[in-house]
Amino acid sequence: DVAAAREHADKALDVGARAAPGSGSTLEALIARGRLARLEGDGDLAEEYFDQAVTITDELGFVDLNVTRALQGLAWASRRRQDAAEAERHLRRAVSLFDTQRGKVGRSDEERSLFLSSFHGVYRDLIDLLVEQGRMAEAFDVLEASRARTLLSMVAARDLTFDLDVPPELGRERRSVDAEYERARQRLAPLPEGAVETRAAQEKLAGLRERQHHIPDRIRRGSRRLAELREPQPLDAAGVAAHLDP
C-alpha cells in the first residue's frame, strides 16, 4: 500500500526533523520517501528527497552505507534528464562508498550477504550506463571490480585468519579507530545543526575518517600477502585478453 507507506515515511520525517535531523532513521525516511515518489511517477519530488538525504550526510560529515541508495536515486533522476555525465558521477561515488563500507556491516556471513546483496544494483546501473554509451571496456572493468570486491568481503569476514599478518599495533589501532568513529557518529546524530558542539563533532569525525583511510595503506606496506588478499586488483579487458590462450 503506497499511500500507507507514504504516511509512515512522512511521520518518520516529521519526528526526525524535530528530534534528530541528522539521524540514520531520518536518512532512511528520506530515501524511502524518494523511492515512493519515484513509484508514483513524481521524478522531481523523488530527486528532491534523494538530494536531501545526500546533503544531510555531507553536511554532518558522517558515512552511512544507505547513502548509496540515495546516490543511486539521484543517478536515476539524472538519466531521466538525459544527463549521463552527472548520472555517472553519482554512481561512481555510490560504488566508492559501497566498496569502502561493505566490510563493516553484519556480524555473520549470512547477515552480511543478505544486507549487501541489496546494494549490488549500483554496480549494475553503472555498467548499464557505460554500455549504453558504448564504453564496453570500462563496463567490463566495473564488472571485474565488483567481483574482486566480493572476494574482498569474503576475506574481510574472516579477520581472525589473516590478522596474523597484520602488525599487532596496527591491528589494535584499526579496531580502536573504527570503534571510536562509530561512537563519534552516534554522538553527532542528535546534535542541532550549526551549533558549536556540532561543528566540533564533525571535525572529530572527519579526522577519524582520515585515520581510517590511512591505516590500510600502512598495513599493505607491512604485509604484501595480506595486501593482495584484502585489495585484489582486478584485470581490465586488455589484461584478461593477455592471459587467454591465443
Side-chain angles (χ1 to χ4, degrees), residues 118-132:
S118 65
F119 289 91
H120 273 285
V122 69
Y123 279 109
R124 182 187 61 246
D125 286 357
L126 180 55
I127 291 169
D128 180 63
L129 178 66
L130 294 172
V131 168
E132 192 176 83

Side-chain angles (χ1 to χ4, degrees), residues 145-217:
S146 71
R147 291 173 175 170
R149 292 301 180 183
T150 298
L151 172 62
L152 175 60
S153 291
M154 295 170 63
V155 171
R158 293 162 174 79
D159 266 346
L160 291 177
T161 301
F162 298 111
D163 271 356
L164 294 174
D165 289 331
V166 179
E169 65 279 5
L170 283 178
R172 288 191 296 270
E173 182 179 352
R174 183 182 62 189
R175 290 188 292 272
S176 174
V177 171
D178 285 347
E180 190 176 355
Y181 178 90
E182 184 58 27
R183 288 194 297 270
R185 189 183 71 82
Q186 292 176 2
R187 286 195 297 268
L188 172 63
L191 294 177
E193 294 185 40
V196 174
E197 60 267 32
T198 302
R199 289 194 294 272
Q202 290 171 346
E203 291 173 2
K204 181 177 180 61
L205 205 63
L208 289 169
R209 187 163 59 245
E210 187 71 16
R211 289 179 64 188
Q212 284 181 322
H213 288 167
H214 287 312
I215 289 174
D217 291 334

Side-chain angles (χ1 to χ4, degrees), residues 22-44:
S23 68
S25 58
T26 300
L27 176 64
E28 291 176 6
L30 284 168
I31 295 171
R33 196 62 184 83
R35 286 179 156 184
L36 288 169
R38 177 177 173 178
L39 281 174
E40 294 177 308
D42 194 337
D44 292 337

Side-chain angles (χ1 to χ4, degrees), residues 15-85:
V15 171
R18 288 183 281 107
S23 68
S25 58
T26 300
L27 176 64
E28 291 176 6
L30 284 168
I31 295 171
R33 196 62 184 83
R35 286 179 156 184
L36 288 169
R38 177 177 173 178
L39 281 174
E40 294 177 308
D42 194 337
D44 292 337
L45 183 60
E47 183 174 10
E48 182 180 331
Y49 281 118
F50 290 137
D51 186 61
Q52 286 182 47
V54 174
T55 299
I56 282 178
T57 57
D58 286 345
E59 290 180 349
L60 295 180
F62 70 87
V63 177
D64 190 305
L65 188 54
N66 281 310
V67 179
T68 300
R69 304 185 197 278
L71 289 165
Q72 192 175 9
L74 286 177
W76 165 81
S78 298
R79 293 182 74 175
R80 176 172 166 266
R81 295 196 308 274
Q82 305 298 312
D83 191 340

Side-chain angles (χ1 to χ4, degrees), residues 105-120:
V105 300
R107 295 186 178 181
S108 68
D109 289 351
E110 182 179 7
E111 181 182 351
R112 182 180 294 104
S113 177
L114 286 172
F115 182 73
L116 292 178
S117 64
S118 65
F119 289 91
H120 273 285

